[in-house]
Amino acid sequence: MAAFLSSLPGAVAQGLIWGIMAIGVYITFKVLDLADLTVDGSLATGGAVFVMLTTNGVNIYISLIVAFLAGCVAGFITGIFHTSFGIPAILAGILTQFSLYSLNLRIMGNNSNVAINFRKYNLLVTLSNINKSLIVGAILVVLIVLLLYWFFGTQFGSAIRATGCNEAMARANGINTNRNKVFGLVLSNGIVALAGALEAQYSGSADINRGRGAIVIGLAAVIIGEVVFGKIFKNFALRLVGVALGGVIYYIVQTIVIQVGLNPNDLKLFSALFVAIFLGLPYWKSQMKPSAKKQAKKREEVGANA
């Protein structure tokens, strides 16, 4: 128990970073209703761009902005593949993700891993300063949620939400759905790349394989947030907060699993099963509701006959 409690702050700090990434996933998965696998590449791109710029003397905040923009470019490419080439969204994301592997290697000077020393650079989040990482992570989550809440309340943001809700109806009302899809993918992957830049700071390096399986963690956070906080958080901003908290819960559960003795090599298997269970919960609930209604109806009939 003592070991778990001592590792809990680190799990929360890392969960907040991945919660930011999950917010990016939420935009495509829930708002746009698109399955985008670009995130496995754009997360690593954000880390690679940030580390290479920072270690070459660029201001840390400028590096963060450029990392965000690099992710936006990745999302734009996926959007063009999907809307202009007619490629299904999931395949368009795979193509972009596949190409980003080579591009990320180029960015990192053909190195698979590039370190960044927290003693030399004034990083925002680091494993060596968990308290600072917790505060910065929480502030960034709040800022991103507020900005997205404002944006999706604008006319353009509402049009994007309408595109994801009912594309045919949105198009019938004169909305440029292709443009909205592209912009949604741009925004989503920009946020994911920003999370990648933060994760590179926290772990102390940019790694070519850092984004592998990121979509699973992102989906896990989204589904956990909906299952745990769905009935409480009805407002759009609170739903985004729930997604970020889903990332925290995911890493806390992962920490518990490691503490009880699970082989770290089995974490990806655990993650897949964990996501599958949470994805299945809404379906199981929907299957149980009709039977519960039938039982209630029978009780009413019995009461009426009596």
Side-chain angles (χ1 to χ4, degrees), residues 49-174:
V49 169
F50 174 84
V51 170
M52 294 306 294
L53 288 176
T54 304
T55 53
N56 281 281
V58 179
N59 179 275
I60 185 173
Y61 296 103
I62 295 177
S63 298
L64 279 173
I65 293 171
V66 176
F68 171 81
L69 293 176
C72 290
V73 172
F76 179 77
I77 294 170
T78 299
I80 293 299
F81 280 161
H82 176 50
T83 59
S84 298
F85 287 68
I87 301 172
I90 189 168
L91 182 55
I94 291 172
L95 289 173
T96 306
Q97 174 205 138
F98 192 65
S99 60
L100 282 175
Y101 186 89
S102 296
L103 289 173
N104 292 340
L105 278 175
R106 289 290 189 101
I107 291 170
M108 295 193 293
N110 293 321
N111 296 308
S112 61
N113 187 287
V114 179
I116 183 168
N117 195 330
F118 70 91
R119 294 185 179 88
K120 188 175 180 181
Y121 305 97
N122 186 27
L123 303 179
L124 293 176
V125 290
T126 65
L127 192 57
S128 62
N129 192 336
I130 299 297
N131 291 333
K132 179 184 176 182
S133 299
L134 285 169
I135 294 170
V136 171
I139 291 173
L140 287 173
V141 167
V142 171
L143 285 176
I144 291 170
V145 167
L146 289 175
L147 286 171
L148 290 177
Y149 180 67
W150 166 80
F151 171 72
F152 282 108
T154 64
Q155 186 174 358
F156 184 30
S158 298
I160 294 175
R161 294 173 71 178
T163 299
C165 183
N166 191 326
E167 184 179 351
M169 183 62 72
R171 195 182 295 112
N173 281 279

Side-chain angles (χ1 to χ4, degrees), residues 241-253:
V241 172
V243 170
L245 292 176
V248 173
I249 293 172
Y250 174 86
Y251 268 92
I252 290 176
V253 172

Side-chain angles (χ1 to χ4, degrees), residues 4 253-263:
F4 167 70
V253 172
Q254 189 179 82
T255 301
I256 294 172
V257 169
I258 292 174
Q259 291 294 332
V260 298
L262 181 73
N263 189 330

Side-chain angles (χ1 to χ4, degrees), residues 145 149 229 232-243 245:
V145 167
Y149 180 67
F229 305 107
I232 307 171
F233 295 168
K234 300 293 185 181
N235 180 276
F236 181 73
L238 292 178
R239 287 180 183 175
L240 294 177
V241 172
V243 170
L245 292 176

Side-chain angles (χ1 to χ4, degrees), residues 13-34:
Q14 195 165 11
L16 286 171
I17 294 171
W18 285 86
I20 293 173
M21 186 274 292
I23 290 174
V25 173
Y26 183 88
I27 292 173
T28 51
F29 186 63
K30 286 295 183 180
V31 176
L32 277 176
D33 195 25
L34 292 175

